[in-house]
Structures are given as structure tokens and as C-alpha cells.
Amino acid sequence: MILSHLLGGNVPPPPQEWIKAYSDGAVNLGDGSAAAGGVLRNHNGDWIVGFSRSLGKCLVLIAELWGAHDTLVHALRLGFKSVVIEKDNAEVVDIYNNLFDALAGNTLVDALKELRDQDWTTRMVRIKREINGVADKLASMSRGHPIG
């Protein structure tokens, strides 16, 4: 199973019509520079698209939310109709699934939920941090670069 091998564990692939997305946020505790990144993979684990963006300085939760937001933007832009997003941040997963009202009314949270509620099927689930290594590396690459 290619996906399991790439992710270093026994990770089941999504059904054939679904894509799997991984996103992450990263903040340097020394200077506060933040970034978000992620990757979309098909049911075989093949790379579809990866992304990374510098966020300037922000809290870890905000960086994580940007990662989830950008993941959905890319999946929607590419026309996917069924997406499972895997994150290692429980707060973002709970916010996405309406289990936690942190940052209620926040523009970024509202935008994330607006994307979630488009005409498609999405799920967000929590995974172990070790499984999210590719998204973590992509996010870390952009820290300290110009915003965008």
C-alpha cells in the first residue's frame, strides 16, 4: 500500500473517489514566524499538489487554521467532490466539526466553515503527528519568507 509506506504507518487509503489531504501550521517559537502547508494525495497515495505559505507572525492555532483553509481552497479549485482532511491539531478538527466554539465569529474560522459547506463532501479527522510529516515539512519551509 503506497500511501501507508509514504506516511510511515498503517494508514488506510481513502475510497477511490476520495482524495486525502494533510495540512499543518508551523510557528517558530524563537521569532514567531509562522507558515502553513499541506498536500493532496489520491487514493493510491500519489501526489496531486503541495503548497506552502508564509503567514508572518501569528499563533499556532491561526497557522493551523490557515493550513486547513488553504487545503480546502486547493481541493475545491481542482474540482474534487470528496475530501478527507487529516490534521494533527485537535482544536482545528473540533472547530471544523462544530464540536468547539473557539474563535466563534473569527473571519478565518467563518471562511473555513463556508468552504466546508460548499456543494461537496468533506471530513476532517485527527491523526498522530508522525503521520503528518510531509505537511509539517511543507509548512516549515515557508517560515520567515515574505508573506504569501
Side-chain angles (χ1 to χ4, degrees), residues 89-108:
N89 184 286
E91 286 177 296
V92 173
V93 173
D94 288 348
I95 289 168
Y96 189 84
N97 292 313
N98 290 321
L99 301 173
F100 185 52
D101 253 351
L103 303 175
N106 175 281
T107 304
L108 179 55

Side-chain angles (χ1 to χ4, degrees), residues 19-126:
I19 64 162
K20 226 176 214 196
Y22 301 87
S23 75
D24 205 9
V27 176
N28 182 315
L29 297 178
D31 66 6
S33 62
V39 61
L40 304 178
R41 294 184 184 274
N42 69 14
H43 66 281
N44 289 321
D46 299 326
W47 182 284
I48 297 169
V49 67
F51 64 90
S52 180
R53 84 149 76 194
S54 175
L55 300 170
K57 294 183 181 194
C58 68
L59 301 171
V60 172
L61 180 57
I62 299 300
E64 292 279 358
L65 286 165
W66 272 114
H69 174 273
D70 289 354
T71 298
L72 289 172
V73 167
H74 286 293
L76 189 62
R77 178 181 55 84
L78 292 169
F80 294 107
K81 293 294 186 184
S82 302
V83 182
V84 60
I85 304 144
E86 298 191 346
K87 289 200 61 68
D88 60 19
N89 184 286
E91 286 177 296
V92 173
V93 173
D94 288 348
I95 289 168
Y96 189 84
N97 292 313
N98 290 321
L99 301 173
F100 185 52
D101 253 351
L103 303 175
N106 175 281
T107 304
L108 179 55
V109 170
D110 291 346
L112 179 65
K113 290 182 177 186
E114 191 173 299
L115 283 165
R116 177 197 65 197
D117 296 338
Q118 295 292 314
D119 185 26
W120 61 346
T121 304
T122 64
R123 291 188 332 219
M124 186 179 291
V125 297
R126 184 159 182 230

